Amino acid sequence: MLPLLLEPAELANHLDDDNLLIIDLSKPAIYVQAHVPGAIHLDFKRLQTGAQPAPGMIPDDDTLGDLFTALGLTEDTHVVAYDDEGGGWAGRLLWTLDAIGHRKYSYLNGGIHAWLAEGQPTSSESTEPRPGDYEVSGHDPLTEVDMDYLLAHYQDDDLVLWDSRSEEEFAGVRAFAQKAGHIPGARHYEWTEPMDKQNNLRLRPLDDIRQELEARGITPDKEVICHCQSHHRSSFSWLVAKILGYPRVRGYAGSWAEWGNHPDTPVEKSE
């Protein structure tokens, strides 16, 4: 069983494993140049509906079933995801798998940047998936959260909102919705903070990340709900919390696109 946070050298030892599905969510131009041998390219747009006003919503079960069937996913498959941006789209894929109850997955620490920096083998030949037959049979309510739930619970003492957007978006200086600002009581920790820019976008030391989160009140004793604008950036935040062992962490797919465009949602701005 591969760990959730997978180092390049460890993945290199398992490239020939049966039941391993490596998914590359990098830009197509990067995939064509170099990818992990055997990795299948996935267009990240297929992980969201793309429909306004909240384009980050999770696709319906039939659409997801078709997608994962085409990728060759089975109940026994262990998925390894990576990208070229430090984990956002890889995180979104793993969150989606978690939402439909598929728990066998890993994140390649640092993605393609770390893989290349370590001199691991690469391929430039496109890998075609072997289609399977994957049926989505329900969702884990402990992975997702919708706006109605948030409206009812965002003020609960037992809950903390992790806003992964930029400082300007959180403060209400920049807005990509009708309303600017943040959900009242939300805590800000930008999605790129855990990434080590000096170490090929691997995660920084986990204890450092944990201390920074706890200093902001994002603590493992609470239900943690991650969001950004479309639950792309915040999918990586969700993944980081999972890696840190937070027991109750969920993603809000509607995110600010839904909340900030809804007439009945409360909004706060930073002083």
Side-chain angles (χ1 to χ4, degrees):
M1 190 65 179
L2 297 175
L4 175 55
L5 184 62
L6 185 62
E7 295 302 328
E10 191 165 6
L11 176 58
N13 290 331
H14 289 273
L15 291 179
D16 297 325
D17 285 11
D18 293 334
N19 291 331
L20 188 67
L21 179 61
I22 306 172
I23 303 209
D24 179 313
L25 294 108
S26 307
K27 297 175 196 71
I30 290 181
Y31 177 80
V32 169
Q33 285 177 5
H35 52 263
V36 176
I40 292 165
H41 187 260
L42 172 61
D43 180 357
F44 57 74
K45 295 189 192 75
R46 299 188 69 183
L47 298 171
Q48 300 180 324
T49 64
Q52 297 299 337
M57 291 296 199
I58 192 167
D60 63 47
D61 288 357
D62 287 345
T63 303
L64 288 176
D66 290 346
L67 171 63
F68 291 125
T69 290
L71 289 172
L73 188 69
T74 71
E75 287 185 10
D76 300 321
T77 307
H78 189 95
V79 175
V80 176
Y82 73 90
D83 57 36
D84 60 347
E85 60 161 21
W89 289 117
R92 176 70 192 218
L93 172 61
L94 300 184
W95 176 82
T96 304
L97 289 172
D98 201 86
I100 62 173
H102 190 92
R103 297 282 186 275
K104 297 173 179 150
Y105 56 74
S106 301
Y107 168 62
L108 177 61
N109 196 8
I112 193 63
H113 299 292
W115 185 265
L116 293 172
E118 285 197 7
Q120 299 294 354
T122 63
S123 171
S124 57
E125 292 180 16
S126 181
T127 304
E128 294 304 317
R130 291 190 299 254
D133 183 16
Y134 196 87
E135 189 173 335
V136 177
S137 56
H139 286 231
D140 185 339
L142 299 179
T143 305
E144 302 172 70
V145 60
D146 62 18
M147 190 178 72
D148 289 342
Y149 181 90
L150 268 194
L151 276 169
H153 296 284
Y154 75 95
Q155 293 173 301
D156 290 2
D157 291 339
D158 189 38
L159 183 147
V160 62
L161 286 158
W162 175 351
D163 190 323
S164 308
R165 297 175 300 157
S166 68
E167 185 70 65
E168 293 81 11
E169 288 169 90
F170 182 81
V173 178
R174 296 186 74 193
F176 302 100
Q178 290 174 356
K179 301 176 188 175
H182 54 265
I183 301 173
R187 309 300 173 92
H188 181 253
Y189 189 70
E190 189 167 346
W191 76 294
T192 57
E193 284 291 317
M195 299 176 199
D196 190 342
K197 312 232 180 8
Q198 312 306 313
N199 193 22
N200 303 296
L201 300 185
R202 280 184 185 80
L203 286 178
R204 292 169 41 235
L206 296 183
D207 284 342
D208 293 354
I209 300 168
R210 185 178 282 109
Q211 288 171 4
E212 291 166 9
L213 284 172
E214 294 192 0
R216 288 164 170 78
I218 303 170
T219 52
D221 59 317
K222 295 187 171 167
E223 178 182 10
V224 178
I225 295 177
C226 305
H227 83 87
C228 56
Q229 179 72 19
S230 64
H231 195 42
H232 155 222
R233 294 172 282 180
S234 53
S235 287
F236 183 64
S237 304
W238 170 89
L239 177 61
V240 168
K242 286 291 236 193
I243 289 167
L244 291 174
Y246 277 50
R248 294 185 294 153
V249 55
R250 300 165 79 179
Y252 171 36
S255 278
W256 193 256
E258 181 179 45
W259 192 275
N261 283 312
H262 196 280
D264 301 326
T265 48
V267 169
E268 215 173 54
K269 286 189 183 180
S270 303
E271 293 302 319

